[in-house]
């Protein structure tokens, strides 16, 4: 994957920091003219869903259109949430996240995004940001205002995407906006360090509450990030998603198998989560 680098800007430097963190979000400020790049405003959802449907049998032995649609929606929403959460956590900066300002990369034959690019150099930051006086910066008064900015950016992107996506979607209406809520909440989890046992779960939960406090105009639900303790008194970070990926439709063992849902699935009980975590080394 080759990219043409642009002159360093505050967000270029932030991206370098983000990529060096334990979770290593692969994002930069660069040209997306090379093969495999898609600007979010230009995404071809039906083609992406078709490619995913074709890939599912190789992964699970079977395919289902609802699973293909749900996977694509979650991947797309994850692009916005992952990038926004990483910049918020590691630099207290919020970039422009509208569909024309964000792009993602996929390798040929693989429907899963593997890298991201910001196409707008402007950003919002706090008064004590070392580059608050930069002409590309817009200062907001405090971290709560910055968190609200991130939440609004993700919701505005969701509204722009869903305006064209919703009429033909086979997914439940609640799952559509819920995927973007999940993308942001999971992005805050991933920014912690991307594991179920992060070194600083308290910060991830705190930031989840700042960005997704519940009762907000953009997202009514509160962050679902929380601790859970297994049978060995080990602490894990988990959450319960609003939307479903419909993996159970393609699970090789069938939908009745306990493993047909992931640990964050709405169909998975806390008892099942604890059983799985207790079994881990």
């Amino acid at each position: 994957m080759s990219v043409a680098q642009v002159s360093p800007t505050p967000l270029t430097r932030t991206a370098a920091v983000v990529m060096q963190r334990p979770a290593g979000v692969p994002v930069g400020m660069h040209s997306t003219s090379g093969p495999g790049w898609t600007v979010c405003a230009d995404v071809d959802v039906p083609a992406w869903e078709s490619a995913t449907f074709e890939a599912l049998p190789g992964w699970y032995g079977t395919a289902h259109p609802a699973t293909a649609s749900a996977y694509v929606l979650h991947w797309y929403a994850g692009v916005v949430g992952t990038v926004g959460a990483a910049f918020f956590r590691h630099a207290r900066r919020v970039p422009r996240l509208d569909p024309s300002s964000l792009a993602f990369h996929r390798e040929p034959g693989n429907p899963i995004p593997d890298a991201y690019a910001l196409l707008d150099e402007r950003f919002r930051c706090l008064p004590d940001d070392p580059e608050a006086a930069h002409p590309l910066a817009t200062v907001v008064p405090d971290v709560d205002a910055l968190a609200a900015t991130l939440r609004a950016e993700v919701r505005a992107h969701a509204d722009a995407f869903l305006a064209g996506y919703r009429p033909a979607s086979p997914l439940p209406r609640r799952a559509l906006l819920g995927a973007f809520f999940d993308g942001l909440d999971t992005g805050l989890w991933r920014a912690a360090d991307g594991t179920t046992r992060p070194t600083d779960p308290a910060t991830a939960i705190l930031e989840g509450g700042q960005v997704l406090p519940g009762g907000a105009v953009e997202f009514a639900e509160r962050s679902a990030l929380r601790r859970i303790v297994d049978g060995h008194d080990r602490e894990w970070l988990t959450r319960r998603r609003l939307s479903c990926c419909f993996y159970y439709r393609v699970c090789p063992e069938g939908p009745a198998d306990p493993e047909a849902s992931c640990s964050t699935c709405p169909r998975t009980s806390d008892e099942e989560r604890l059983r799985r975590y207790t079994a881990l080394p």
Side-chain angles (χ1 to χ4, degrees), residues 50-64 71 109 111 247 250 252:
S50 178
T52 302
F53 187 83
E54 292 174 2
L56 288 174
W59 300 343
Y60 308 122
T62 188
H64 193 283
Y71 274 28
Y247 166 65
V250 295

Side-chain angles (χ1 to χ4, degrees), residues 154 196 211:
V154 174
T196 52
V211 177

Side-chain angles (χ1 to χ4, degrees), residues 5-12 14 29-30 87 93-96 101 118-124 134-138:
Q5 297 297 329
V6 297
S7 300
T9 66
L11 284 190
T12 304
T14 302
M29 296 286 302
H30 49 66
F87 277 67
R93 292 175 176 173
V94 174
R96 303 282 172 163
S101 299
L118 288 165
L119 309 179
D120 192 318
E121 298 175 340
R122 295 173 294 171
F123 64 99
R124 277 60 60 89
H134 196 283
L136 294 171
T138 298

Side-chain angles (χ1 to χ4, degrees), residues 234-256:
R234 297 175 301 180
E235 188 175 76
W236 303 81
L237 188 62
T238 191
R239 67 179 304 274
R240 186 175 186 271
R241 289 190 286 114
L242 284 182
S243 54
C244 183
C245 66
F246 292 95
Y247 166 65
Y248 71 90
R249 296 279 193 177
V250 295
C251 176
E253 287 74 28

